[in-house]
Amino acid sequence: MANRRGDNGAAAFAVPRHHFIPTRAWARPTAGVEGYWIDRERDPDRWWGAVCSDTVIVTQIDEGRTELTEENVRRTFSYTCSSTGPSLVFALLGLLDADREHRVLEIGTGTGWTAALLSRLAGDEHVTTVEIDPVLAVGARDNLARAGFAPHLVVGDGADGVSARAPFDRVHVTCGVSAIPYPWIAQTRPGGIIVLPWSGNHRALRLTVGEDGTAIGDFHGECAFMPLRGGRRATRHAGIPEGAREREVTTDVRRIVALSPGWWVCLAELVGAIPAVSGQGDEGLLAVLSAGMSHARVHLAADGTARVTQRGPRNLWDEAEEAHRKWTEWGCPDIGRFGMRVTPERQYVWLDDPSRPLKE
């Protein structure tokens, strides 16, 4: 069949998003814009405006243990289910490139909207979607029925895949992944495609499964999703230890924190931290790196002098400087020269050659 990426637009009209948005929710526009509460009954115009725009809409907090109210959502950052902005949804579906010939596995049903879009592209009978949260699964099933779709919905840990419905031609992941579960590879036929949000560098990752049971892929646009729940979720660390170490910085701070796509991938793999940058302007520049129990804060003053404060078992800024030196020696490779390989034993980012890990 011809390339289906153009079919995504038709799917958008055939599967209206409003079927999957609750009466009351929290709208999160683009980064840097304050979120706001939407209530279809009290202010239908605002509700419809959010639903019909490229806005993330939060539908659950704290894994459902806390009620989603305007007061509660304003005092928590624990978002655990949302309807992703349409532009990113369709970008990922474009990478997946699913059609009616494909058996599709979706990891993370959420509201059910993407499951409905996949059903529109591949057919209900070919789509399996798995959701770990029973309450979300019930809501998604109701939403799907209201929109006229009925994919095979499984309540379980998405990290395990759904072996009873395998093999799959496509696997579509709608949650952030920091360690790719091998069952996704094992349950995908050779030549099949897996698309997922890779939490390691906040990029979309498109993998192709090989005849040897491994998968090789490349990185695409920026994307950040709520983490995969269950036994393979990312480990969270609390607090920064005492014991600050300060020194002057003589390297070019601006070059290190200016994250070109290739440098971003390299830094994330070698250091495991992406700098959060703020305060650019008359007051200078402030960048913060965090990884586990380690923390680095570098301040570049308006007069050009810079100092770094590092805490924890690792000197993250020192590591970032060393990683930047390597990236420069390698010719400042762009994102197209990096990729990822997944085997039963390990997974790693590579540069130029899939058989050679970037980091041993």
Side-chain angles (χ1 to χ4, degrees), residues 77 137 310:
F77 294 97
Q310 303 183 97

Side-chain angles (χ1 to χ4, degrees), residues 3 15 39 55 66-67 73 77 99 119 127 131 152 156 170 172 178 190 235 264 279 283 298 317 322 327 331 354 359:
N3 187 291
V15 190
D39 187 323
T55 297
T66 301
E67 182 183 2
V73 79
F77 294 97
D99 69 25
S119 295
V127 176
E131 172 58 56
H152 187 79
R170 299 288 189 270
H172 188 65
S178 56
T235 302
W264 184 323
E283 300 300 319
V298 62
W317 185 256
E322 175 61 16
W327 179 71
K359 181 180 180 180

Side-chain angles (χ1 to χ4, degrees), residues 253-309:
V253 172
R254 293 191 182 277
R255 288 196 65 196
I256 293 176
V257 300
L259 293 173
S260 67
W263 165 229
W264 184 323
V265 172
C266 183
L267 176 63
E269 179 65 6
L270 294 180
V271 180
I274 301 298
V277 180
S278 64
Q280 300 189 64
D282 293 341
E283 300 300 319
L285 178 148
L286 175 66
V288 176
L289 293 88
S290 295
M293 292 297 294
S294 296
H295 180 87
R297 179 182 183 277
V298 62
H299 179 248
L300 175 63
D303 63 5
T305 61
R307 295 195 66 82
V308 63
T309 302

